[in-house]
C-alpha cells in the first residue's frame, strides 16, 4: 500500500575527499583521511581528527559565497554535499523539494569564536541548528519544506527516516535528507571531557581500542517516490527498504551492555524491509572505537543475527566520527559499496576482542554484488537508528 | 487512515506540584529545564492514563542552553584545559527526549527536532504522519526551551528567533477516549526562500 522510496542521487564531503568519487576511491584503496588537526583553531594536536581538507575560504570560493556573507562551516560542508546530490539526481531546476537535515553543532564554530563578546550583527542569526538548514535550502531556492533533526550523532539518519515517512505517506514526492556537521572547539573539548578521544587513529572493535577520533563532513541522499523517479527518467541507485528508530533508555552517554536500543532499531529496520537477518550482506557499524559503544553494538549484532553476523566494518576508521553527519555519510558509503561492488575493510584492526564482533580487516576489499546493506547510527541519549539500503531490481 | 486526537495538554506545571510526579531525590542532578520537561511529560502521561506512549518526540529551538553556556563560559575562562563532562552531556538538543525515555524505560521511537520557531510543529508533523499511517497508536510530543540570564541580557545572541521559556507536552492518541481536546486534521510546514519558516496546525474541535 505504501509507496516505495528509492535513492536517485547522493553527495558527500568527508575527510576522504569532496564528492562520491573521491570517497569511493579512498575506501577502495584503504586510504584513511584521519590526521593531525589543521583547520580547527585548537591547541589539541594530540588528538587526530578527520577534517575535510579545505579551508572555509576554499569552500566559499567553490560555492561562490562572498567573504562578507557570514556562514558556518556546517553550512558550507552541507551545501557542498547538497549541491552534488541535487546535480546527481538532475534536480537543479526542480521546485517543490523538501529538505530534512540533521545537525547538532550548527553554527557553534562561529559563536565560540566570539563568546562572550558581542557578535557582529550580521553573524547573529547562524548559530542554531535550523538556521543552517534554512540557509542551505535558500542557497538553491528549490525547497518549500525544511526541517531539522537533532538527535546528536544519529541526527542525519533520523532525518533520512523522516524522509522515507514523508514519501511513503504521500506527503512529499522528493525529500533530500542527510546531515552536516563541522568540527568545533565546543564538542572537541566536550568529547575530551568525557575522556573518549583516542590519541591514536581510532581502532573500532579492537581489544586495544581507546576511543574515537572526531571527524566532520556532510552527506545528502535524494529520496524519491519510485513512480515519480520512473516518470522523470531518473537513475535509481537503491531502495531505502527499511528504517528503524528505538531508544536504549539506559543513560545519556553510555550504551547498555546488551545493546537493547541498537537491537530494537536493527530489528525494526528488518521488519520494515520485510527481510530476515540472513539476507543482510554487510553492516556498516556505528563502531566509534569507544570501549563501551563497540561492545554494546557487538552484543546487539549478535542478538539480531543470532550469532551468524554478516561482514561488518566501521568506516569511522577512515573518516573519524562525523557525529551528526555520520548516518548519511555512511549510508552513502553503502551506496558506493553497492555501485562499485566492494565492501570497505577496516583500518587499524589488529587484536580480536572476545566481547566484540571481528570486523572485516586486511588489505583488500571483498568484491561482489550486494543486495541488502545495513547501516547503523547511534547517538547520545540512546537515540539508536538503523536503515537498510537494497539493490533496485 | 487513523484519526489523531490530542487527549491531554500540559504546560506551566507549578513548582509546588513537582513532587507529585518526580521525587526530589531522583531529580537532584537534573538541570532546571530537564526537571521541568520531565515533570510536564509525566503529568501528561498521568492525566491521559498513557504511561508508555509508542513514541516520544521533542521540539527545541536551541536545546539545553544553561549547560551550553556553562561550557562556552568554561572554554572562555579556562581555555582548552576545560573539563566539563556533565555540561557537555546535558548540552545536546536530544537530552530532554532521552531523559523522558530513560526515566520511564521507554524504548519506543524517540527523536528531537531543532528547527527554530517551528521545532514543535516539526515534531508534531512526524508523530501525526506515523499515527495516521497506523505505525503508532500513541505519542508524546513536547516542546522545551529555556531562557538563561545570558540570553536575556543578550537578546538575539543565539539567533533572531523568539524563544519562549516553556515546557509543554501533548499526548496524542488514535483513540479519542472520553474527553479528547481536539482532533489534528493536518500539520503544514512551509518554507519560503528568504522568509522565516512557518507552520499551521489544523485542528477540528
Amino acid at each position: 500500500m505504501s509507496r516505495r522510496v528509492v535513492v536517485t542521487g547522493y553527495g558527500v564531503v568527508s575527510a576522504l575527499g569532496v564528492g562520491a568519487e573521491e570517497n569511493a576511491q579512498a575506501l577502495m584503496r584503504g586510504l584513511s583521511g584521519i590526521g593531525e588537526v589543521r583547520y580547527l583553531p585548537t591547541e589539541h594536536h594530540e588528538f587526530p581528527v578527520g577534517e575535510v581538507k579545505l579551508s572555509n575560504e576554499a569552500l566559499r570560493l567553490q560555492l561562490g559565497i562572498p567573504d562578507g556573507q557570514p556562514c558556518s562551516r556546517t553550512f558550507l560542508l552541507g551545501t557542498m554535499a547538497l549541491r552534488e546530490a541535487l546535480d546527481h539526481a538532475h534536480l537543479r531546476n526542480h521546485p517543490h523539494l523538501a529538505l530534512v537535515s540533521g545537525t547538532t553543532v550548527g553554527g557553534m564554530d562561529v559563536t565560540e569564536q566570539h563568546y562572550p563578546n558581542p557578535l557582529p550583527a550580521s553573524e547573529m542569526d547562524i548559530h542554531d541548528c535550523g538556521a543552517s538548514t534554512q540557509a542551505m535550502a535558500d542557497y538553491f531556492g528549490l525547497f518549500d519544506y525544511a526541517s531539522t533533526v537533532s538527535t546528536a550523532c544519529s541526527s542525519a539518519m533520523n532525518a533520512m527516516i523522516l524522509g522515507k515517512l514523508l514519501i511513503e505517506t504521500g506527503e512529499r514526492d522528493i525529500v533530500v535528507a542527510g546531515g552536516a556537521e563541522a568540527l568545533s572547539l565546543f564538542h572537541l573539548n566536550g568529547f575530551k571531557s568525557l575522556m573518549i578521544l583516542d590519541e591514536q587513529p581510532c581502532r573500532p572493535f579492537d581489544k586495544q581500542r581507546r576511543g574515537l577520533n572526531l571527524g566532520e563532513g556532510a552527506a545528502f541522499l535524494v529520496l524519491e517516490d519510485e513512480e515519480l523517479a520512473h516518470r522523470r527518467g531518473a537513475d535509481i541507485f537503491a531502495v531505502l527498504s527499511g528504517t528503524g528508530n528505538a531508544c536504549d533508555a539506559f543513560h545519556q552517554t553510555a550504551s547498555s551492555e546488551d545493546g537493547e536500543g541498537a537491537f530494537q532499531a536493527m530489528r525494526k529496520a528488518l521488519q520494515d524491509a520485510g527481510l530476515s537477518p540472513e539476507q543482510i550482506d554487510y553492516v556498516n557499524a556505528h563502531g566509534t572505537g569507544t570501549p563501551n559503544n563497540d561492545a554494546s553494538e557487538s552484543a546487539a549484532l549478535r542478538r539480531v543475527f543470532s550469532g551468524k553476523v554478516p561482514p561488518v566494518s566501521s568506516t569511522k576508521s577512515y573518516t573519524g566520527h562525523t557525529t551528526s553527519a555520520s548516518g548519511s555519510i555512511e549510508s552513502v558509503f553503502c551506496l558506493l559499496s553497492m555501485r562499485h561492488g566492494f565492501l570497505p575493510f577496516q583500518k587499524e584492526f589488529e587484536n580480536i576482542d572476545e566481547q566484540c564482533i571481528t570486523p572485516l580487516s586486511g588489505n583488500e576489499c571483498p568484491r561482489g554484488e550486494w543486495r541488502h546493506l545495513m547501516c547503523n547510527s547511534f547517538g547520545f541519549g540512546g537515540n539508536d537508528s538503523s536503515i537498510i539500503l537494497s539493490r533496485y531490481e | 487512515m487513523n484519526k489523531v486526537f490530542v487527549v491531554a495538554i500540559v504546560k506551566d506545571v507549578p513548582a509546588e506540584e513537582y513532587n507529585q510526579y518526580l521525587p526530589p531525590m531522583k531529580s537532584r542532578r537534573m538541570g532546571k529545564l530537564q526537571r521541568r520537561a520531565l515533570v510536564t511529560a509525566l503529568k501528561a502521561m498521568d492525566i491521559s492514563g498513557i504511561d508508555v506512549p509508542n513514541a516520544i518526540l521533542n521540539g527545541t529551538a536551541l536545546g539545553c542552553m544553561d549547560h551550553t553556556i556553562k561550557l562556552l563560559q568554561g572554554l572562555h575562562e579556562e581555555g582548552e584545559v576545560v573539563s566539563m563532562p556533565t555540561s557537555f552531556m546535558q548540552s545536546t538538543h536530544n537530552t530532554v527526549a532521552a531523559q523522558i525515555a530513560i526515566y520511564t524505560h521507554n524504548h519506543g521511537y524517540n527523536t528531537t527536532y531543532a528547527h527554530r520557531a517551528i521545532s514543535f510543529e516539526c515534531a508534531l508533523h512526524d508523530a501525526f504522519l506515523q499515527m495516521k499511517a497506523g505505525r503508532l497508536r500513541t505519542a508524546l510530543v513536547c516542546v522545551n526551551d529555556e531562557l538563561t540570564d545570558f540570553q536575556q541580557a543578550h537578546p538575539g545572541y543565539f539567533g533572531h528567533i523568539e524563544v519562549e521559556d516553556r515546557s509543554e507536552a501533548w499526548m496524542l492518541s488514535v483513540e479519542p477516549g472520553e474527553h479528547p481536546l481536539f482532533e489534528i486534521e493536518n500539520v503544514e510546514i512551509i518554507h519560503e526562500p528568504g522568509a522565516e519558516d512557518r507552520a499551521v496546525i489544523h485542528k477540528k474541535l
Side-chain angles (χ1 to χ4, degrees):
Chain A
M1 188 180 78
S2 76
R3 310 200 295 175
R4 199 146 85 135
V5 178
V6 295
V7 181
T8 55
Y10 47 88
V12 59
V13 182
S14 80
L16 298 181
V18 174
E21 190 53 34
E22 284 187 20
N23 278 267
Q25 289 303 324
L27 287 170
M28 284 191 280
R29 291 183 195 163
L31 302 174
S32 165
I34 294 171
E36 190 179 345
V37 67
R38 206 157 97 198
Y39 300 103
L40 181 73
T42 177
E43 295 163 10
H44 292 298
H45 286 249
E46 70 277 25
F47 299 123
V49 290
E51 279 183 311
V52 172
K53 311 291 185 289
L54 286 169
S55 65
N56 287 352
E57 292 68 36
L59 288 164
R60 278 175 182 275
L61 201 63
Q62 291 210 18
L63 291 166
I65 295 170
D67 286 347
Q69 184 185 329
C71 64
S72 66
R73 187 165 169 89
T74 295
F75 161 81
L76 291 169
L77 297 174
T79 307
M80 291 286 286
L82 191 50
R83 183 172 70 174
E84 184 190 6
L86 292 170
D87 283 340
H88 196 199
H90 304 288
L91 289 173
R92 282 294 280 280
N93 295 308
H94 196 291
H96 308 302
L97 302 177
L99 177 63
V100 187
S101 181
T103 190
T104 305
V105 167
M108 183 61 92
D109 60 325
V110 176
T111 307
E112 70 191 11
Q113 294 305 323
H114 296 283
Y115 182 90
N117 301 315
L119 285 171
S122 59
E123 293 191 5
M124 277 175 99
D125 214 21
I126 56 177
H127 168 83
D128 68 286
C129 297
S132 63
T133 310
Q134 284 192 348
M136 282 191 281
D138 287 356
Y139 179 87
F140 299 98
L142 301 170
F143 296 92
D144 60 9
Y145 180 109
S147 184
T148 310
V149 179
S150 192
T151 56
C153 300
S154 54
S155 301
M157 188 164 281
N158 282 324
M160 293 162 56
I161 291 177
L162 176 72
K164 180 166 178 270
L165 176 73
L166 289 171
I167 294 169
E168 281 178 340
T169 54
E171 191 74 7
R172 308 292 312 195
D173 293 324
I174 302 177
V175 181
V176 190
E181 195 121 292
L183 285 170
S184 74
L185 297 178
F186 186 91
H187 74 291
L188 179 75
N189 284 281
F191 278 97
K192 187 205 69 174
S193 301
L194 295 175
M195 295 189 286
I196 50 174
L197 292 179
D198 198 335
E199 294 190 5
Q200 293 180 43
C202 66
R203 294 155 282 175
F205 303 109
D206 191 293
K207 200 172 172 66
Q208 304 297 324
R209 67 189 182 281
R210 291 287 175 271
L212 56 88
N213 307 137
L214 280 176
E216 64 179 357
F220 286 93
L221 283 76
V222 177
L223 307 177
E224 185 165 354
D225 167 43
E226 181 186 17
E227 281 183 26
L228 174 63
H230 281 303
R231 278 206 306 278
R232 65 176 195 99
D235 290 327
I236 296 177
F237 302 106
V239 183
L240 178 53
S241 55
T243 61
N245 161 313
C247 188
D248 201 34
F250 175 72
H251 187 268
Q252 287 291 358
T253 53
S255 305
S256 61
E257 206 173 312
D258 63 356
E260 183 63 21
F263 168 76
Q264 289 200 24
M266 286 187 266
R267 204 178 51 177
K268 280 187 190 176
L270 284 164
Q271 278 167 356
D272 186 34
L275 294 172
S276 57
E278 59 272 16
Q279 289 177 278
I280 299 296
D281 294 315
Y282 163 78
V283 182
N284 186 305
H286 186 57
T288 57
T290 65
N292 176 240
N293 173 79
D294 296 0
S296 175
E297 185 172 11
S298 293
L301 284 164
R302 284 173 175 155
R303 288 172 67 195
V304 170
F305 293 98
S306 313
K308 283 174 268 174
V309 181
V312 177
S313 65
S314 167
T315 46
K316 290 187 177 67
S317 57
Y318 292 82
T319 59
H321 187 355
T322 56
T323 53
S324 290
S326 62
S328 55
I329 289 178
E330 290 158 25
S331 294
V332 168
F333 291 172
C334 287
L335 295 168
L336 295 174
S337 283
M338 214 175 273
R339 181 170 189 169
H340 295 280
F342 76 101
L343 296 180
F345 64 86
Q346 200 174 298
K347 302 285 292 174
E348 313 296 343
F349 185 82
E350 282 176 11
N351 310 291
I352 290 174
D353 180 355
E354 281 172 18
Q355 269 200 308
C356 290
I357 56 93
T358 303
L360 268 179
S361 59
N363 298 308
E364 217 169 312
C365 298
R367 291 275 169 181
E369 285 212 345
W370 325 113
R371 289 190 64 198
H372 304 291
L373 306 182
M374 179 182 264
C375 187
N376 285 345
S377 188
F378 310 149
F380 277 180
N383 276 152
D384 297 341
S385 292
S386 181
I387 63 157
I388 298 167
L389 290 158
S390 300
R391 175 171 291 282
Y392 184 71
E393 22 194 52
Chain B
M1 285 290 172
N2 285 319
K3 289 184 172 183
V4 180
F5 300 95
V6 177
V7 296
I9 294 181
V10 173
K11 58 184 167 188
D12 305 326
V13 181
E16 53 272 22
E17 267 186 43
Y18 280 24
N19 290 352
Q20 281 181 41
Y21 303 100
L22 185 63
M25 277 295 286
K26 295 207 171 180
S27 64
R28 68 200 152 100
R29 288 194 179 163
M30 292 176 197
K32 181 184 136 219
L33 180 65
Q34 270 98 328
R35 192 178 298 130
R36 191 178 71 192
L38 183 54
V39 164
T40 308
L42 291 170
K43 185 173 177 181
M45 292 180 198
D46 188 61
I47 61 175
S48 63
I50 299 169
D51 296 332
V52 189
N54 297 157
I56 297 169
L57 302 92
N58 187 37
T60 179
L62 291 171
C64 303
M65 287 310 287
D66 187 30
H67 285 286
T68 301
I69 290 170
K70 274 185 187 147
L71 183 46
L72 278 169
Q73 188 68 25
L75 268 169
H76 169 67
E77 285 172 10
E78 300 173 45
E80 290 194 79
V81 295
V82 72
S83 181
M84 301 178 79
T86 306
S87 285
F88 180 57
M89 213 187 291
Q90 305 215 351
S91 71
T92 51
H93 298 69
N94 63 335
T95 309
V96 166
Q99 180 71 62
I100 299 168
I102 292 168
Y103 191 81
T104 58
H105 309 286
N106 189 319
H107 292 288
Y109 183 88
N110 192 295
T111 198
T112 300
Y113 288 88
H115 196 68
R116 297 171 69 93
I118 60 163
S119 302
F120 173 68
E121 288 84 352
C122 288
L124 195 66
H125 192 212
D126 181 352
F128 170 74
L129 290 177
Q130 290 195 63
M131 293 177 81
K132 219 170 59 152
R135 297 177 190 187
L136 301 172
R137 296 191 62 77
T138 54
L140 178 72
V141 186
C142 311
V143 56
N144 288 285
D145 269 298
E146 62 186 331
L147 263 182
T148 59
D149 293 345
F150 182 89
Q151 287 163 275
Q152 301 200 28
H154 303 83
Y157 199 89
F158 296 98
H160 297 305
I161 18 174
E162 266 185 52
V163 178
E164 280 179 69
D165 196 12
R166 62 166 171 167
S167 290
E168 191 168 325
W170 291 23
M171 185 63 82
L172 273 52
S173 173
V174 295
E175 307 280 352
E178 281 177 34
H179 306 290
L181 300 173
F182 52 88
E183 183 191 334
I184 298 178
E185 286 195 311
N186 195 16
V187 181
E188 269 183 278
I189 308 286
I190 305 144
H191 176 86
E192 284 164 327
E196 199 55 44
D197 286 0
R198 293 178 293 126
V200 187
I201 303 169
H202 296 273
K203 303 172 185 175
K204 187 172 160 187
L205 295 170

